[in-house]
Amino acid sequence: MSGAGGIAIRTTERNTLGEHHPATLSTRHNLATALHDQGHHDLAAAEMYAVLSVRRRVLGPEHPHTLATRAWLDTINAARAEP
């Protein structure tokens, strides 16, 4: 998923399904990982933080999807800290 394509899909899903729908959250999570893979670590971190916030509220802090998001956020933050 490219950054621009992912943003368009994310916007469509959010408008159609809602911000808290599992499909919307999965798309946003995948967008963040794609941004990370492309080296856009700051954008990836911002998106992943947003997903984590919603997943904690909707799914709870120990849900597997929340934990996966936390793990990816750790990976992204580690990449941001590298020189």
Side-chain angles (χ1 to χ4, degrees):
M1 171 185 313
S2 71
I7 291 169
I9 292 168
R10 180 191 73 178
T11 301
T12 300
E13 281 187 348
R14 184 177 49 210
N15 292 341
T16 304
L17 302 174
E19 187 71 27
H20 301 103
H21 192 280
T24 304
L25 293 171
S26 290
T27 298
R28 293 181 70 192
H29 178 97
N30 292 340
L31 171 62
T33 61
L35 289 168
H36 164 71
D37 290 345
Q38 294 171 2
H40 303 290
H41 304 299
D42 291 337
L43 292 172
E47 188 66 24
M48 201 64 85
Y49 273 118
V51 172
L52 181 60
S53 176
V54 175
R55 282 187 165 168
R56 279 182 176 153
R57 278 192 324 253
V58 174
L59 302 174
E62 299 303 319
H63 188 279
H65 292 165
T66 305
L67 296 174
T69 299
R70 278 184 34 204
W72 262 104
L73 188 54
D74 290 344
T75 298
I76 292 166
N77 284 330
R80 290 170 73 195
E82 293 176 0

